[in-house]
Amino acid sequence: MTKPRHFHVAGTPVPLVDGLEKVTGRARYTADLTTDDALVGRILRAPRGHARIIRIDTSRAKALEGVRAVVTGADCAQSYGVIPIAMNEYPMARDVLRYRGEPLAAVAAIDAKTAQAALDLIELTLEDLPAVYTAKEARAPDAVQLHPDKQGNLEREVHHSFGDPEAGMAKADLVRDEVFSCAEVNHAQMEPHAALADYDPERGHLTFHSVSQVPFYVHLTLARCLGMEAAQIRVVQPFIGGGFGARTETLNFEIITALLARAAGGKVMMHLTREESFLTHRGRPQTDVALKIGMTDKGKITAVKCEVVMAGGAYAGYGLVTILYAGALLHGIYDIENVKYDGYRVYTNLPPCGAMRGHGTVDVRHAFECLLDRMAHELGLDPFAVRRANLLRAPTFTPNDLMVNSYGLGACLDKVETASNWYNRKGKLPPGRGLGMACSHYVSGAAKPVHWTGEPHAVVSMKLDFDASITVLTGAADIGQGSSTIVAVAAADILSVDMSRIRVIAGDSALTPKDNGSYSSRVTFMVGNAAIEAARALRQKLVLAAAKKLESLPEDIVCEGETFSVKGSAQSMLSFQEVALAALAEEGTITVKGTFTTPIKAQGGKHRGGAVGSTMGFSYGAQVVEVTVDIATGLIRIDKVWAALDCGFAINPLAVEGQIEGSVWMGMGQALSEETRFVNGLAVHANLLDYRVPTMVESPDIEVHIVETIDPLGPFGAKEAGEGALSGFPPALVNAVADAIGLEANFLPMTPDRVLEALIKQRRAAKRKVAS
Amino acid sequence: MSANLPEFNLVKPSSIAEALAAFRDQPHAKFCAGGTDLIPNMRHGLFEVETLIDLGQIVGFDAVTINGADIELGAGISLSKLVGRADIRERFPAIVKACEKVAGLSHREAATLGGNLCLETRCLYYNQSEWWRKSNDYCLKYQGDICHVAPRGNRCRAAFCGDLAPAFMVHRAEVELVSLNGARRLPLADLYVEDGAAHLALQPGEILASVHLPAARARSTYGKICQRGAIDFPQAGVAVSCRKEAGVLQFELAFTGTNSKPILLEYREPLGPKTDADSYFEALEKQVQKSVSPQRTTTTAPHYRRLAVAALAVRLARGLV
Amino acid sequence: MKRIVSLNINGKPVEDAIADNLLLIEYLRETRRLTGTKQGCDGGECGACTVLINGRPRLACITLASTCDGAKIETIEGQGEGGRLSALQRAFHENLGTQCGFCTPGMIMASEGLLRQNPDPDDAEIKAALGGNICRCTGYVKIIKSVRAAAQQSAGAA
């Protein structure tokens, strides 16, 4: 049986290259790895929100039969953190614990029951300190200080001003300001955290499997915290059950598992519960956005002032990047000359925040798109018109030096306006129903990685051997987004071979080239480009071999559909295998590599923090959300979403659709029902009942429109597709609710209780107005 | 051996008599039916038992007996089977509606009528891991001294969150309880006590064996306040029945998720052809607000749950007119 | 306490001495090494562990293995025949009903349970049957599409 063969796969829908494993249950995730000989790891977590650690007595635990290792903060004095200048975390707390749930000690034992029993035998002597749970408490003049070097609990403040914001405001016909408050959210990826560490004391080698999106950073951090040479460590990435940013930095349990394995001299399997996975956190922080916009009566924005306060939890993590992103991505979507940004990242006694899909931009974009809509309304302008009045013209650089080479926002607006029949339906729906829209954008990879080494941003290797198969080696972490598929498609397309000829090996430090990891939507752009370059290098070798064999010039060789021929003469045609063997005859097994390095001009402005937000290209999105609001119960139903995204070029349209649907929907979760909640610093949301990830029942149909602007630097012209649509949903929803029932909400999520309370307040205010 | 559950012995009686005898032998045993409530609670370390008596193997425990217009439901019937019964759907619509709103389909395949009626009460200070509760010095419901919901009170405020009880209550269901001392039958409402730590009037060793539904004389429906279309327990739920007597309409309402027990409201005011419907239902809404007393047992504010369930109750009642 | 339990797992009769407190998910994953069935939560909250017991979808993470004595258990590993995919597996693969894949086994098993009872479900029926299965990647759009595609394919084959 012969299958139809497609050679130009870029741009056609392709199922995931590892999809068969996923639908058959053969895919092995970290927790699925065979563990007959593994010890069970368990972590003792802080019962208090802020306390001095007087003593941790592990003697009874160590003495328990079946216990093979016990470690505490005393076993690792090396701090870590994803940002080299902000490493202020230890895998287990030393001296002071700073949030409820922080690891204090850990045990490896022969089984789970023994491990738990050992944890129960560890004696803690703690001295409670005052704790601060909100940014306001943390910033109070007399607040307890979490870190000795951080006055006022300020992890980082940012003050950026571009153009002349004062003069811009003075030119405005309408100036409005509002404060928006957005709750903290968590990634809630379906796979709970897990790690498997195998330490060979004879060789002094550590083999490490984990759920990470950033195996390379994990590798570096393990070397640092265990005081090992990186060469003695191998990090392998099994199947990963989602990430969304939760695993974009090395996590405490990963280091702890490795410490346990070394202490026990063997293999340790660590499964975190769902509760522990929530406590490990690294989600999007609670964020208050005070936003002021000046606008002409035609809707042109004259100036923006924005103050952002983020409650970031107990440790730095990605915090300073998050607070910088929030300001930087005020730019790059609209043409705004005058922008003032003040950002404050604050420490609190809660689980540390981190990067989450749409890193840093979501809550600020929310505020921006809501206020824009309200000002449009006040000026009698259509929401689409006010966006169109502020479009950029590519290519350009923004006032903060972000490079914009391709820009499809206008086309996105056209698509969703038409698809939703906006003009005929907006303002004309029955009571309780409404339409709202918003725009959004996101980077296609940070132009400067957090670990700046000067190396290329991505490397892909390819091997062609006697069997005429092509093995692609990439360090890119496929976390479900389909990065391995993109790499395969790029290789197949450039080499004009069938996908079945290509195998992708990903994520094993012993085999694959280093990759920075799957975050900031960098993989398709950077790894995709590197894969294309590698494939071109291989193709060139094949073309040379074919030219030699066909006694022709390389530039006259046509490589098409696994055949090589001389341009204009089809009679002497060589098969791929023939050419492959001819090429191998020259030099044996062929290995090539491709790299990608971001151009200097893409790397952002010279101002402090100017690298954050810089990228090779932005995705642009517009979406329309239709809602029905039940004013008696406050419940909001999403009837339909129309989402358009400019992803440059859809290398795999099936995956692009999937990414857009998933990110719109994740934005819906944040907008409607998801939030972390704490009682005296104790997480009460740390399960999938109270952390309300939307179910299929209330999830709407999402109609996706792909806009292609063919970015000059993108692989095949592609940009990112997995994050940009997220931040459009929450403001489109709030704007739709305003359209439906006239409620202008300044909070997220729009839970029924908050909606009802706001409606009651609104009615009271209206009554007072009538009375006075 | 399980890594997630404490150790216990499982007894699998094949008749109620055997189950009762098993309890006599192991007086600290616990009965278990579908396990959809009990097993997660056990995984959270909310209790330990030496013996679990599995009622799932009892022959005929899921039987449905039709006695003329009355229906007797074995307590072991699964919620899925209840949903599939045309006679229940037709005559007791609130019951099927309530069943369909429980958790997810895979839960409903296992969950039983008796289990749902005897559902453990819930509270955000209780339905947490051992680490969590220990960090919070436990609570009155289990291992602790104070109720964190109402620290000045002297009882546990955990809320009853079963969906089915109100639906059966507005149809005036009765439950049959059996023990080694014999059988007794009481109105379903009398099965419950307003105490989150001891909300069932079951005696030790007593089993809820069956539920009796008298001939349906009312139309009914059920609705719940929750954010998601599946999985969620009710933040508040309400069943409403409406019967026509002597040319006027009478409503009965029952609530879940608001108190430590399901609350029955037999609304005495009739709705006649000349009654002003708007003011009638406005008064009903106020009455509902007064009748329920949600506490801070969930992350959703009590005040909201009171207002929303009252609004929902009136909407459902109007829909039955 | 342990007891001998007879089960039929994916068409194969097996007997095992099973501890009374062993959860079905632990039995499948650890004793039988059928790791396709996933644990996504701390008990009964996400649907990732959905398997079929006597043809009906159940949550293996809150089911005691020893209560399944005599039962027919089907897991993701038993779907399809002769190394070929089942209609649902193929539909999930081709329509991108799976991204990270972690919810996929449970989602496919819940869908299998649905299609056996209702070979031609509409969207509302699909949602009602799969509402207890959480997916964090897809927004469910392509999952619904996959189930519909499998139903159509099966109808075409019949």
Side-chain angles (χ1 to χ4, degrees), chain A residues 184 186 188 274-275 278 669 673-678 683-694 749 751, chain B residues 44 122-129 132 161 227-228 230-235 297-300, chain C residues 41 45 134:
Chain A
E184 183 184 277
N186 180 276
R274 175 57 64 180
E275 180 187 40
F278 269 111
S673 57
E674 293 178 29
E675 60 181 312
T676 67
R677 295 286 282 261
F678 297 89
V684 294
H685 62 271
N687 58 70
L688 291 173
L689 275 177
D690 293 300
Y691 191 84
R692 296 191 185 95
V693 171
T751 51
Chain B
H44 278 95
R122 300 186 62 82
C123 178
L124 65 86
Y125 295 94
Y126 172 70
N127 297 98
Q128 301 287 354
S129 70
W132 196 103
C161 297
Q227 262 179 278
R228 299 188 293 182
I231 303 179
D232 289 354
F233 284 97
Q235 289 167 356
T297 53
T298 75
T299 52
T300 306
Chain C
C41 67
E45 298 167 356
I134 294 176

Side-chain angles (χ1 to χ4, degrees), chain B residues 144-226:
Chain B
D145 307 322
I146 62 161
C147 174
H148 299 289
V149 171
R152 289 188 193 150
N154 53 7
R155 76 164 177 90
C156 163
R157 300 282 173 164
F160 179 78
C161 297
D163 285 293
L164 267 56
F168 278 90
M169 279 158 79
V170 298
H171 282 293
R172 301 184 176 179
E174 295 188 332
V175 287
E176 179 138 329
L177 312 177
V178 297
S179 67
L180 287 172
N181 302 325
R184 59 181 178 135
R185 191 154 149 173
L186 40 105
L188 175 58
D190 293 350
L191 178 67
Y192 300 105
V193 181
E194 184 74 292
D195 179 350
H199 71 294
L200 293 175
L202 286 172
Q203 298 298 314
E206 203 166 33
I207 296 173
L208 196 169
S210 61
V211 180
H212 297 258
L213 279 167
R217 295 198 179 79
R219 290 174 303 131
S220 70
T221 189
Y222 176 78
K224 78 199 247 188
I225 299 293
C226 58

Side-chain angles (χ1 to χ4, degrees), chain A residues 529-699:
Chain A
N529 268 322
I532 288 172
E533 195 183 280
R536 285 196 178 132
L538 182 55
R539 184 186 154 121
Q540 187 56 26
K541 283 182 185 282
L542 294 168
V543 166
L544 287 175
K548 195 171 168 191
K549 218 171 164 162
L550 292 170
E551 297 174 340
S552 173
L553 292 170
E555 50 270 35
D556 290 335
I557 297 295
V558 179
C559 159
E560 183 66 41
E562 301 209 339
T563 60
F564 293 77
S565 56
V566 179
K567 204 182 289 170
S569 77
Q571 63 268 50
S572 53
M573 190 181 268
L574 298 175
S575 71
F576 185 85
Q577 291 90 330
E578 285 172 303
V579 175
L581 291 177
L584 289 165
E586 300 281 325
E587 54 174 313
T589 300
I590 295 172
T591 56
V592 296
K593 77 171 181 184
T595 67
F596 178 77
T597 299
T598 63
I600 298 287
K601 62 178 180 167
Q603 291 179 3
K606 298 273 182 285
H607 54 283
R608 186 175 182 229
V612 175
S614 70
T615 184
M616 287 67 61
F618 292 97
S619 71
Y620 291 97
Q623 60 190 283
V624 171
V625 172
E626 182 170 341
V627 299
T628 301
V629 187
D630 179 348
I631 55 166
T633 63
L635 198 69
I636 298 169
R637 188 181 74 209
I638 312 299
D639 297 314
K640 173 104 191 203
V641 184
W642 296 265
L645 191 85
D646 161 24
C647 64
F649 174 74
I651 298 175
N652 183 0
L654 187 65
V656 168
E657 280 175 17
Q659 285 296 315
I660 297 172
E661 288 158 4
S663 51
V664 164
W665 173 88
M666 196 171 269
M668 180 184 92
Q670 177 176 354
L672 281 183
S673 57
E674 293 178 29
E675 60 181 312
T676 67
R677 295 286 282 261
F678 297 89
V679 173
N680 296 325
L682 257 179
V684 294
H685 62 271
N687 58 70
L688 291 173
L689 275 177
D690 293 300
Y691 191 84
R692 296 191 185 95
V693 171
T695 75
M696 194 181 287
V697 180
E698 69 276 9
S699 296

Side-chain angles (χ1 to χ4, degrees), chain A residues 487-512:
Chain A
V487 166
V489 167
D493 189 275
I494 297 295
L495 289 159
S496 195
V497 297
D498 190 76
M499 290 276 285
S500 65
R501 194 174 290 286
I502 292 177
R503 267 186 206 96
V504 179
I505 307 283
D508 181 339
S509 67
L511 303 174
T512 58

Side-chain angles (χ1 to χ4, degrees), chain C residues 86-108:
Chain C
S86 73
L88 272 162
Q89 287 175 317
R90 186 170 306 284
F92 271 73
H93 178 53
E94 291 178 352
N95 293 284
L96 200 68
T98 175
Q99 284 187 28
C100 84
F102 201 80
C103 77
T104 306
M107 203 64 88
I108 289 179

